[in-house]
């Protein structure tokens, strides 16, 4: 247990913020010990995974717990189906690579997403046509109200677009300890129709892609568009892609004929990056903070000296400008602390 601990290296924005107390836990018993300490001291809790989806806007007057539970296990269900369980502290991309090396399919489109396995169900992470819910079996959690272990099934998690029960009424109540995924061993579903995967595969000279080829294409695309958090502080996509009624989208199309949208019945998903770029934010810098020059959906700690408040205020200006021009209110995907 450490006091007045810097969290700068525990968040991918690289902002300086201190926690009153800090500890790393490697087992469930150690986690329970830390929770008992917090209860005796009446401390608030902050759980840290890979630090890729938080923005620390101030010092944290409580106990920050780094979840470092590690381990991967496999259960072969039949000739094609395998259930793979990863502990919360496993690095997400390293876990995806582990599965691909064993030729387990289902995660390849989620390659190179920052963060740890334990946070993946919280916001139903997704990319290039795949979301956690598509390959999710269950997750084991610790209920902070009674320190009991529980298992959440797919239906119980109530996954939505970058959403789950863990971001709604279960927020702050459950700690995800491990996640089980349903993957394929041979009859893989190859998804290449989203984003620039097809064109990237063509660039690589690949006509009949394997799951490893899809992963390679996704990694190339992400590396070409998104800054490496180890080089430039960021948290990936800062905003959710908003969804609006079809009638509102059609009205906007009369005014902005090039507006992009992906209809799903009476709802249309509008790319937040396009909206932000149309408002002149792509590559724009104010003080220590900027919108990335290649992907306006990504806010960066441009100088390395930005405070969390500066980044938050920058995001507020983006939200206000998009609302003023398009009448659409962007929602932050990043958790604000």
């Amino acid at each position: 247990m450490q006091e007045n601990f810097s969290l700068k290296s525990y968040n991918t924005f690289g902002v300086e913020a201190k926690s009153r107390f800090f500890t790393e836990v490697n087992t469930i018993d150690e986690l329970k010990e830390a929770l008992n300490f917090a209860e005796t001291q009446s401390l608030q809790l902050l759980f840290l995974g890979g630090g890729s989806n938080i923005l620390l806007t101030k010092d944290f007057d409580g106990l920050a717990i780094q979840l470092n539970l590690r381990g991967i296990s496999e259960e072969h269900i039949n000739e094609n189906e395998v259930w793979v369980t990863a502990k919360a502290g496993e690095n997400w991309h390293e876990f995806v690579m582990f599965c691909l090396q064993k030729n387990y399919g289902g995660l390849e489109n989620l390659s190179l997403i920052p963060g740890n396995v334990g946070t993946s169900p919280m916001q139903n992470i997704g990319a290039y046509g795949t979301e956690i819910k598509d390959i999710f079996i269950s997750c084991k959690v610790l209920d902070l109200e009674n320190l009991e272990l529980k298992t959440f099934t797919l239906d119980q998690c109530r996954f939505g677009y970058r959403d789950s029960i863990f971001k709604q009424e279960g927020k702050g109540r459950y700690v995800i300890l491990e996640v089980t995924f349903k993957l394929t061993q041979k009859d893989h579903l190859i998804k290449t129709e989203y984003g620039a995967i097809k064109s990237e595969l063509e660039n690589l000279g690949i006509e009949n892609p394997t799951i490893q080829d899809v992963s390679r294409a996704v990694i190339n695309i992400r590396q070409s568009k998104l800054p490496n958090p180890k080089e430039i502080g960021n948290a990936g996509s800062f905003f959710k892609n908003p969804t609006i009624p079809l009638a509102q989208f059609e009205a906007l199309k009369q005014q902005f004929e090039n507006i992009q949208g992906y209809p799903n019945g009476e709802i249309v998903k509008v790319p937040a990056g396009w909206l932000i770029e149309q408002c002149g934010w792509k590559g724009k810098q104010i003080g220590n903070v900027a919108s990335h020059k290649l992907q306006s959906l990504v806010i960066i700690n441009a100088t390395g000296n930005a405070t969390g408040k500066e980044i938050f205020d920058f995001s507020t200006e983006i939200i206000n400008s998009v609302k003023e021009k398009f009448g659409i209110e962007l929602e932050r995907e990043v958790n604000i602390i």
Side-chain angles (χ1 to χ4, degrees), residues 11-290:
N11 70 97
T12 57
F13 264 119
V15 301
E16 180 58 82
K18 287 184 167 59
S19 181
R20 183 178 168 193
F21 292 99
F22 172 87
T23 189
E24 285 192 22
V25 297
N26 301 290
T27 67
I28 295 176
D29 285 342
E30 288 181 2
L31 173 57
K32 289 181 176 179
E33 284 180 29
L35 295 173
N36 285 332
F37 172 80
E39 185 175 9
T40 60
Q41 301 287 321
S42 299
L43 298 173
Q44 288 184 295
L45 297 169
L46 172 62
F47 292 96
L48 299 170
S52 62
N53 197 45
I54 60 171
L55 175 61
L56 300 167
T57 59
K58 57 188 176 183
D59 290 340
F60 181 68
D61 186 24
L63 171 61
I65 300 176
Q66 172 73 25
L67 290 170
N68 201 29
L69 283 64
R70 305 298 291 269
I72 300 173
S73 60
E74 306 160 51
E75 181 182 355
H76 295 267
I77 305 301
N78 53 48
E79 285 188 358
N80 187 50
E81 188 175 317
V82 58
W83 290 9
V84 184
T85 299
K87 301 287 187 183
E90 291 289 336
N91 176 273
W92 175 261
H93 180 63
E94 291 176 8
F95 171 61
V96 173
M97 292 298 102
F98 169 89
C99 293
L100 287 170
Q101 285 169 5
K102 297 218 165 192
N103 200 41
Y104 297 159
L107 297 171
E108 56 277 359
N109 292 56
L110 303 177
S111 298
L112 210 62
I113 292 178
N116 288 355
V117 169
T119 52
S120 63
M122 290 183 67
Q123 60 173 26
N124 184 25
I125 64 170
Y128 300 103
T130 298
E131 291 181 316
I132 284 296
K133 67 177 179 60
D134 301 327
I135 33 88
F136 181 91
I137 290 290
S138 64
C139 63
K140 183 183 290 184
V141 307
L142 182 68
D143 188 336
L144 296 180
E145 289 191 358
N146 50 30
L147 296 189
E148 290 182 0
L149 296 176
K150 295 183 178 179
T151 298
F152 276 78
T153 63
L154 175 64
D155 289 341
Q156 289 172 325
C157 287
R158 297 215 311 275
F159 289 124
Y161 172 58
R162 301 298 176 268
D163 198 19
S164 72
I165 189 173
F166 305 111
K167 289 187 75 174
Q168 298 301 327
E169 67 267 32
K171 185 175 183 179
R173 176 173 174 177
Y174 303 107
V175 181
I176 298 173
L177 305 174
E178 63 181 39
V179 189
T180 301
F181 302 94
K182 178 176 67 177
L183 306 180
T184 52
Q185 298 185 76
K186 57 179 183 177
D187 298 332
H188 305 311
L189 177 61
I190 305 293
K191 294 184 179 180
T192 62
E193 64 271 27
Y194 289 84
I197 293 180
K198 275 188 179 178
S199 60
E200 181 59 28
L201 289 169
E202 290 173 4
N203 292 339
L204 295 170
I206 297 169
E207 294 183 5
N208 299 301
T210 63
I211 54 176
Q212 290 81 7
D213 293 329
V214 172
S215 172
R216 183 180 165 196
V218 168
I219 289 171
N220 289 351
I221 295 166
R222 291 184 71 90
Q223 287 180 332
S224 70
K225 289 170 47 177
L226 301 171
N228 185 341
K230 294 179 181 177
E231 298 171 3
I232 304 173
N234 73 90
S237 298
F238 196 92
F239 301 99
K240 295 181 182 180
N241 290 317
T243 54
I244 61 175
L246 179 61
Q248 182 183 355
F249 179 76
E250 293 295 346
L252 283 169
K253 202 165 180 62
Q254 297 296 317
Q255 189 176 356
F256 307 98
E257 59 181 29
N258 294 324
I259 189 171
Q260 299 176 11
Y262 303 94
N264 182 10
E266 291 298 308
I267 297 294
V268 180
K269 183 186 292 183
V270 182
W274 186 88
L275 297 170
I276 295 167
E277 190 173 335
Q278 298 307 303
C279 292
W281 285 96
K282 191 173 185 179
K284 183 175 181 178
Q285 182 169 340
I286 299 176
N288 295 306
V289 189

